[in-house]
Amino acid sequence: MADDAHIEEPGPADEAVARALRDAIVSVEAAVARVHEFSAEIFELVGAPGGGDAVDHHNALTRVAGLLDATGQLRATDWESVRGLGDVLADRAGRLRAHTGEVLDGLAADAPAQDRVACLQQAVETDRLGETLQLLVLVEDSLNLWQRLRLARIRTTEPDRLEHECAAIGTTLAGRVERDVGLLLRARARLASYAALKPFELVRWLSTARVKKDIARLRADLDDVAAALGSAAERALEAEDPSVAENLAELGNPVRAVSGALGDSARTLGGRAVGAGSTGVGKLGRGLHRVAEPRRRPGGDVPLTTAPDA
């Protein structure tokens, strides 16, 4: 059979696997926008320098997959142009997962507040936790595109191996999705655990502009990754402890965070501990906020210290 011959119509097994490969990642737009400036730095960080740019790889694979979808043909020259990417992509995905796991292990849930803040800043700013997860999404989608092309190639040139390869690809894909969703859930739980700090610690902690920026960045990255992972992430999040989502919603909002941390005490005070809506905070809430305010010179309004704005 000629290399450029029309590909045989897919059967039920390979059609199902091809569909699963297409649907595993819903969108990579957010990932591309987030990591296009950082991919080389992150690959260096995880021990996978060189080997080409992640966005370029994805663009090349998208082009070839688009031609396959439009014409029903996979030309030998097109396949050869991307054939060598499979091992590169699999290696990078594994390294990105390993790095993510190590960073999450460093976010100790039982350390003092000051140490935990330092760990979070290290994870976000130095270890690039959010960007690593976003880059994993992009690499995984590239690998799924490559597997689709490989499946089409096998269907054309080695049809006797098609059933075996479909089973192998399907099993591998399921394992990759499970690991990626698992990392997402771990990251959400670790970040959410910061909302369990004592009220005074939490207000002081969230008063720092730099910390609030780190939280916002990481929360946005986790939301983007969840959206990209589609139905697999949706099912996992439905089974997630509801307190995780609640705590993530509180982080970055000192008023809500303190209200949640005070819990029954706030309700015992008849809601006067923290005011509702746009009215701000009540007496106790204002007292807690003053913990985070800069000290002032006696008799004057000029702060002695200010929270860092970086």
Side-chain angles (χ1 to χ4, degrees):
M1 182 179 292
D3 280 349
D4 294 346
H6 191 282
I7 296 175
E8 297 295 329
E9 288 296 321
D14 49 319
E15 184 177 4
V17 173
R19 183 169 58 251
L21 289 166
R22 283 193 299 268
D23 296 344
I25 303 292
V26 174
S27 172
V28 297
E29 292 180 2
V32 170
R34 187 77 170 93
V35 305
H36 73 283
E37 295 179 356
F38 303 110
S39 62
E41 176 185 339
I42 297 170
F43 285 138
E44 182 80 26
L45 188 65
V46 303
D53 180 77
V55 176
D56 289 345
H57 286 169
H58 192 270
N59 288 341
L61 289 160
T62 299
R63 180 188 66 81
V64 178
L67 291 173
L68 170 63
D69 292 340
T71 66
Q73 293 182 344
L74 178 61
R75 298 185 306 173
T77 53
D78 287 334
W79 169 242
E80 289 301 321
S81 70
V82 297
R83 180 180 181 178
L85 292 180
D87 290 341
V88 173
L89 295 169
D91 177 72
R92 285 181 165 180
R95 290 178 183 273
L96 291 168
R97 284 194 207 95
H99 176 71
T100 300
E102 291 172 0
V103 174
L104 291 175
D105 287 341
L107 293 177
D110 55 355
Q114 185 174 353
D115 293 342
R116 294 177 68 185
V117 171
C119 288
L120 181 65
Q121 291 178 338
Q122 168 79 20
V124 173
E125 299 175 10
T126 303
D127 295 329
R128 294 201 176 278
L129 175 58
E131 291 98 329
T132 299
L133 283 166
Q134 293 267 36
L135 184 55
L136 178 58
V137 165
L138 183 61
V139 171
E140 287 282 53
D141 195 55
S142 293
L143 188 53
N144 293 341
L145 287 166
W146 185 85
Q147 290 285 25
R148 281 182 57 204
L149 297 173
R150 177 169 170 266
L151 195 62
R153 180 68 175 175
I154 292 171
R155 188 186 305 126
T156 302
T157 61
E158 302 176 272
D160 56 318
R161 293 180 51 216
L162 186 58
E163 183 176 353
H164 171 76
E165 292 300 328
C166 280
I169 291 172
T171 299
T172 301
L173 174 63
R176 290 193 284 115
V177 170
E178 182 179 4
R179 290 192 292 274
D180 295 342
V181 172
L183 284 175
L184 170 66
L185 295 179
R186 281 186 63 196
R188 284 172 56 86
R190 284 301 173 96
L191 182 58
S193 72
Y194 279 68
L197 290 169
K198 295 177 181 179
F200 289 100
E201 292 177 331
L202 191 57
V203 176
R204 183 183 297 111
W205 183 53
L206 292 175
S207 70
T208 307
R210 181 176 178 180
V211 174
K212 287 189 288 188
K213 179 181 177 182
D214 287 343
I215 291 171
R217 283 170 54 188
L218 185 53
R219 283 178 58 193
D221 284 329
L222 296 182
D223 287 345
D224 286 342
V225 171
L229 293 177
S231 59
E234 288 179 12
R235 290 191 297 270
L237 292 178
E238 287 176 358
E240 185 182 53
D241 185 338
S243 66
V244 172
E246 294 170 2
N247 287 342
L248 287 176
E250 289 174 357
L251 283 175
N253 186 330
V255 174
R256 290 183 60 190
V258 172
S259 177
L262 288 173
D264 291 337
S265 297
R267 288 189 290 273
T268 300
L269 293 172
R272 289 182 289 115
V274 179
S278 62
T279 57
V281 297
K283 287 185 178 181
L284 182 54
R286 287 193 294 271
L288 291 172
H289 271 271
R290 281 198 291 274
V291 173
E293 291 179 353
R295 293 180 292 115
R296 300 180 180 276
R297 291 194 178 96
D301 293 328
V302 181
L304 287 173
T305 59
T306 57
D309 191 21

